[in-house]
Amino acid sequence: MNIVVPIKLVPDLTEELEINDDGTDLERDFLSYRINEFCDHAIEEALQLKEAHGGTVTVLALERDETDKALYTALAKGADRAIKITGVDEAAPTQAAAKVFCQALDGIDYDLVLTGVQAADDRDGQLGAWMSSMLDIPHISVVSSIEATSGGGSDKLLVRKEYAGGVMASFEVSGKGVLGVQAARQMPRYAPVSRVRQIMKEAELEEIEADDVDVSTGTTVRRMFTPEKGEGAEMLDGSAEEIADRIVAIIKEKKG
Amino acid sequence: MSSNILVVAEHVNGTIDDITFELLGKGRELADDGGLAVALLGGGSDLAGQLGKADRVLHVDHPALADFNPQTCAAALGAVIEQARPTLVLVGNTSVGMDLAVAAAVQNKLPLVAYATDIVIENGKTVATSQLYGGKVYAESVIDKDAGIVSVLAGSFPTDAGRSDGTPEVVAVTAPDGLDGGTVTFKGLIKPEGGDVDITQHEVLVAVGRGIQNKDNIPLTEELATALGGVVCSSRPIVDNKWLPKTRQVGKSGLKVKPKIYVMLGISGAPEHMEGMKDAELIIAVNTDETAPIFEHAHYGTTEDIFDLVPALTERLQ
Ligand SMILES: Cc1cc2nc3c(=O)[nH]c(=O)nc-3n(C[C@H](O)[C@H](O)[C@H](O)COP(=O)(O)OP(=O)(O)OC[C@H]3O[C@@H](n4cnc5c(N)ncnc54)[C@H](O)[C@@H]3O)c2cc1C
Ligand SMILES: Nc1ncnc2c1ncn2[C@@H]1O[C@H](COP(=O)(O)O)[C@@H](O)[C@H]1O
């Protein structure tokens, strides 16, 4: 089974996010990027499928800060190919990225595309869904289990999709598909820094220049904003002991 | 121009999901005199009895739609939109909606705004507010065209406003060709296994998130829960890590809880977690990041470190 995994670098959510002067996007100059956590799950699941059934794993990413590191890390974990796509604007909408990835797929022999289930930084739905519609193959999102049903050369997959309340649906997929991975069968593996360094010396990333894609989303951001400070929680200050005293008092009052 | 709104109904096992009532309530408010229709894909037409808030139910009936199937339902929704030509399609930003919204955007050539928590119509144009970056940023998008799709995060609107005893007109929409020849087949539903503890039945919950750092620290939170007379629940990563069973997960793909007291230890407050607990009566959040979105929703908050605060709390309660 040959699997393609498009991965995304997203702003680090543990840092403070600022809005630009226009008030229509993030101030991107000082953002630090890291791999979207669900992409790590997609890579892990792809590697698990390859280890069980053979085939290859190809990881794709648009060029951003940190793209090289993310791609080398994927190689260090066991991916066979890592391709960096240049020439796509950071603020490009998901559907533009989807078009670019579909173009890249043209030269790749693939059976399955695994994406992360979602990324927190865009407003126009899932890349996997856009790709599937453009490729005219099915898409299933919120997937937390993938099994190949009849051995290595099989093109049948048993896929579990999560609904609310812990309920899951299972589907059989024959032929190509795009799956949005919520959780891999085990937590994503870790690539030791020494191994990543070694790969950086031994391997080179493949590079593709994106064709121009002209995409109009039909929507315009007129305002981006962070929630008003001070509207939410009453913040408790002081030493750990003082705060503990306050919390105990608040809870006692509530319990009555 | 008046709005003509189409709500995409979600149903599992013959039950209409709450998100549908949220969308119907909001749809009714936005529709003014333009009409409110529901797309019912599969399911019996008897489900229409629950959809009385709408004027019309556009029902596509076909064996391949009996249970949700991303491939067949996407095709059927395309046919409904084609026939109804709504100015606004409302779909849940749910597991089901995530498969349908983009497919409809492509098939019916409509703009899409996802992750919406609010929608208004201004001068005939739809304006949707999306919650992005794990709840840290909001974006207001204008749909530039006369028609579009908005996918709405569950929990954004009250469900009550969408329920009604009325019986809407049911209009049969012809199923598109090719539903039988698909490459995705529904195989069955898998119910969650019952756990040792039913977190939905407890008045006091101590919720543990990734801030707890590793499995060995879970007992610390269990001691606090016991001292409070409650039990431990968690965010999703804790369950994915297998530090706690799935039955303890609160949120979009976990359980919905409504306890009297919800103490959160190292949870950032992502929308998918909030979806499961935002109706808790008293929310106290412990998180070292003062910009964590949870502080917008909690009643009380502290940036004290879990590992300094929790022992002090437990000691006082024992
Ligand atoms: C389709 C879908 C469904 C999902 N369903 C669910 C669901 O049902 N439930 C759910 O919870 N999530 C769900 N998620 C995942 C969700 O998006 C978030 O990834 C998740 O809720 C984050 O969990 P967290 O807050 O524990 O971790 P993080 O977001 O990593 O937050 C950890 C927090 O701990 C704080 N912290 C770190 N150290 C300390 C310390 N020593 N003391 C105090 N604070 C500390 C940090 O500041 C940080 O804010 C879903 C996602 C998707 C895409
Ligand atoms: N610009 C992008 N570059 C690479 N991968 C992407 C991009 N956008 C989305 N993806 C993939 O799609 C998943 C879901 O992200 P999104 O579609 O942005 O919600 C991510 O986890 C990636 O696997």
Side-chain angles (χ1 to χ4, degrees):
Chain A
M1 193 166 7
N2 296 325
I3 306 173
V4 173
V5 187
I7 61 168
K8 188 174 199 185
L9 284 301
V10 293
D12 186 345
L13 290 186
T14 61
E15 299 202 348
E16 180 144 9
L17 302 176
E18 282 180 46
I19 309 297
N20 69 6
D21 291 342
D22 291 353
T24 55
D25 194 12
L26 293 187
E27 180 57 63
R28 290 185 183 261
D29 283 355
F30 305 104
L31 281 182
S32 53
Y33 284 86
R34 55 188 292 178
I35 187 169
N36 177 24
E37 67 170 303
F38 302 116
C39 295
D40 262 337
H41 283 270
I43 293 173
E44 179 62 34
E45 192 59 29
L47 293 172
Q48 294 278 350
L49 285 165
K50 169 183 136 166
E51 282 156 14
H53 306 291
T56 60
V57 173
T58 302
V59 179
L60 306 177
L62 303 184
E63 181 173 39
R64 303 277 176 267
D65 283 357
E66 301 298 312
T67 295
D68 286 14
K69 190 172 149 210
L71 287 176
Y72 281 120
T73 304
L75 288 174
K77 288 178 173 183
D80 301 276
R81 293 177 68 186
I83 305 175
K84 175 163 76 171
I85 304 177
T86 59
V88 183
D89 188 63
E90 268 182 51
T94 305
Q95 26 189 316
K99 262 201 176 153
V100 168
F101 286 124
C102 288
Q103 286 164 3
L105 279 184
D106 249 358
I108 299 174
D109 174 23
Y110 75 97
D111 304 298
L112 187 64
V113 178
L114 296 186
T115 69
V117 61
Q118 72 179 34
D121 65 338
D122 50 27
R123 317 166 285 130
D124 61 342
Q126 283 62 49
L127 174 105
W130 286 104
M131 284 181 71
S132 84
S133 292
M134 292 168 186
L135 298 164
D136 201 21
I137 59 178
H139 171 250
I140 306 179
S141 64
V142 201
V143 165
S144 61
S145 159
I146 306 171
E147 266 174 71
T149 47
S150 53
S154 153
D155 54 358
K156 277 206 173 141
L157 296 174
L158 199 60
V159 171
R160 283 188 185 179
K161 172 182 176 67
E162 292 193 17
Y163 294 151
V167 176
M168 291 193 267
S170 76
F171 297 96
E172 188 177 80
V173 182
S174 54
K176 292 186 198 296
V178 184
L179 305 177
V181 178
Q182 161 82 256
R185 62 190 75 182
Q186 67 175 44
M187 282 313 272
R189 66 193 67 187
Y190 175 75
V193 180
S194 57
R195 174 90 189 111
V196 178
R197 286 225 184 90
Q198 191 191 341
I199 286 277
M200 288 171 96
K201 280 192 206 130
E202 290 168 2
E204 257 188 63
L205 302 177
E206 297 173 54
E207 245 182 76
I208 301 181
E209 161 102 38
D211 290 347
D212 272 343
V213 284
D214 187 17
V215 162
S216 148
T217 60
T219 70
T220 310
V221 176
R222 77 170 178 196
R223 185 163 86 100
M224 206 178 255
F225 57 100
T226 50
E228 297 272 331
K229 291 269 176 295
E231 276 193 356
E234 179 181 333
M235 297 303 285
L236 309 174
D237 299 317
S239 66
E241 280 68 29
E242 285 161 355
I243 296 169
D245 285 336
R246 284 288 310 280
I247 294 178
V248 169
I250 292 162
I251 288 176
K252 286 218 166 114
E253 193 191 323
K254 176 72 191 171
K255 278 191 161 174
Chain B
M1 203 186 71
S2 60
S3 303
N4 161 14
I5 294 177
L6 179 72
V7 165
V8 182
E10 272 186 42
H11 55 92
V12 179
N13 256 348
T15 308
I16 300 277
D17 202 90
D18 276 354
I19 182 72
T20 306
F21 299 112
E22 289 188 41
L23 298 179
L24 278 170
K26 190 66 188 177
R28 187 83 269 170
E29 179 193 316
L30 295 173
D32 53 61
D33 54 357
L36 175 65
V38 181
L40 179 60
L41 315 171
S45 58
D46 54 314
L47 289 179
Q50 296 174 53
L51 302 171
K53 206 71 189 178
D55 306 313
R56 287 179 306 149
V57 173
L58 307 175
H59 184 215
V60 194
D61 197 15
H62 188 283
L65 301 171
D67 291 279
F68 177 73
N69 175 325
Q71 195 175 38
T72 57
C73 287
L77 178 59
V80 173
I81 295 174
E82 183 64 34
Q83 178 162 332
R85 304 217 160 253
T87 53
L88 176 60
V89 180
L90 296 179
V91 51
N93 200 132
T94 53
S95 184
V96 162
M98 281 162 79
D99 287 336
L100 294 178
V102 170
V106 174
Q107 263 186 92
N108 303 93
K109 300 199 169 51
L110 295 170
L112 166 67
V113 181
Y115 307 112
T117 54
D118 199 12
I119 307 167
V120 292
I121 294 178
E122 289 177 12
N123 309 319
K125 293 260 186 277
T126 300
V127 182
T129 305
S130 307
Q131 191 177 32
L132 306 177
Y133 299 100
K136 282 197 163 181
V137 173
Y138 289 82
E140 260 172 32
S141 308
V142 183
I143 296 184
D144 302 322
K145 306 204 175 150
D146 291 337
I149 305 174
V150 177
S151 77
V152 177
L153 290 170
S156 299
F157 307 121
T159 55
D160 289 351
R163 294 182 206 270
S164 152
D165 300 331
T167 311
E169 177 194 2
V170 179
V171 180
V173 174
T174 312
D177 291 339
L179 290 191
D180 285 322
T183 55
V184 176
T185 320
F186 172 80
K187 298 303 261 186
L189 285 178
I190 303 146
K191 299 268 169 56
E193 281 169 33
D196 51 337
V197 167
D198 181 356
I199 57 171
T200 64
Q201 298 302 314
H202 282 265
E203 290 201 328
V204 181
L205 293 175
V206 173
V208 191
R210 193 145 42 191
I212 200 68
Q213 290 165 13
N214 67 58
K215 189 178 176 143
D216 299 339
N217 296 326
I218 301 278
L220 188 76
T221 65
E222 279 166 342
E223 281 163 30
L224 174 60
T226 307
L228 281 168
V231 295
V232 166
C233 62
S234 80
S235 66
R236 168 146 206 149
I238 303 301
V239 170
D240 286 341
N241 268 312
K242 304 190 169 66
W243 297 348
L244 284 172
K246 181 87 183 165
T247 46
R248 302 288 182 111
Q249 185 186 322
V250 170
K252 187 186 191 81
S253 46
L255 293 164
K256 281 201 176 59
V257 296
K258 207 183 157 185
K260 260 190 162 168
I261 299 172
Y262 196 75
V263 180
M264 305 175 74
L265 307 176
I267 294 182
S268 60
E272 293 84 9
H273 187 79
M274 297 306 301
E275 208 177 300
M277 45 58 73
K278 65 181 174 42
D279 295 328
E281 286 176 36
L282 173 66
I283 302 171
I284 303 174
V286 182
N287 191 315
T288 43
D289 174 9
E290 62 172 349
T291 70
I294 191 54
F295 292 133
E296 262 180 82
H297 309 281
H299 301 100
Y300 294 93
T302 166
T303 54
E304 194 61 44
D305 195 294
I306 296 174
F307 302 103
D308 295 329
L309 183 66
V310 171
L313 262 180
T314 308
E315 191 192 294
R316 280 166 176 72
L317 290 159
Q318 272 164 349

